[in-house]
Amino acid sequence: MEGGTPEFERDLLALLDKHLAAGTVTVLPDTTWSEQRATDLAETLPPATRSFLVHVLKEDGRAKAAELRNAMGGDLRGVTGSLTKAIDRGVRLGLWPQGMPSPVSVDYGEKPNYRRAERYVMTPEDVTTFRAALDGHLS
């Protein structure tokens, strides 16, 4: 521990011991996207995948798949796959914990059995975070 007094450190360890002994403490990793995590992810993305992410952001996190296919030159599997790989690479590099969700998810609309994406979506929180991280790429 850095920056804490010895007394604070003892008190904190005593509190942890008390709750760990009682089995009441569960430590879960933080799997939310912060601005730094979003910046780190964006810096590792291939240009086409970064462009895909920017397109979704420009549509306020609800981009129509057909428009994305036109903008990206057809098939989107390559860019969505490279996004997944970049997230996995960030786990291996220790940039974020295992279990980080993709900032972009697919919406199959009312006919999910058809399995053709209707749109790509982001949560409002992720839109805000990634806009801040990718500010220079959004113009």
Side-chain angles (χ1 to χ4, degrees):
M1 168 176 258
E2 292 181 28
T5 65
E7 181 181 334
F8 173 77
E9 191 172 338
R10 275 192 308 275
D11 290 347
L12 180 59
L13 290 172
L15 180 65
L16 284 172
D17 283 343
K18 175 183 170 187
H19 288 284
L20 287 173
T24 58
V25 175
T26 303
V27 178
L28 299 173
D30 176 12
T31 57
T32 57
W33 286 103
S34 66
E35 188 175 336
Q36 183 60 55
R37 287 176 173 175
T39 299
D40 291 341
L41 176 65
E43 288 175 356
T44 67
L45 293 175
T49 307
R50 188 177 312 114
S51 178
F52 166 79
L53 187 58
V54 167
H55 278 288
V56 177
L57 286 170
K58 285 182 177 179
E59 296 299 322
D60 294 323
R62 296 196 51 79
K64 292 180 180 176
E67 292 174 9
L68 278 169
R69 283 186 203 95
N70 287 336
M72 303 296 299
D75 191 15
L76 297 175
R77 282 182 286 200
V79 293
T80 57
S82 71
L83 181 58
T84 300
K85 287 179 183 177
I87 293 168
D88 292 344
R89 187 171 44 253
V91 171
R92 285 192 309 275
L93 294 173
L95 298 174
W96 42 76
Q98 182 75 35
M100 285 298 289
S102 176
V104 180
S105 60
V106 64
D107 177 3
Y108 291 104
E110 294 181 23
K111 298 179 183 176
N113 292 336
Y114 180 56
R115 301 302 294 171
R116 180 127 180 154
E118 188 172 298
R119 66 178 31 91
Y120 288 87
V121 296
M122 296 178 78
T123 66
E125 297 81 13
D126 285 347
V127 169
T128 301
T129 300
F130 277 82
R131 272 196 177 136
L134 293 167
D135 187 42
H137 298 280
L138 295 173
S139 48

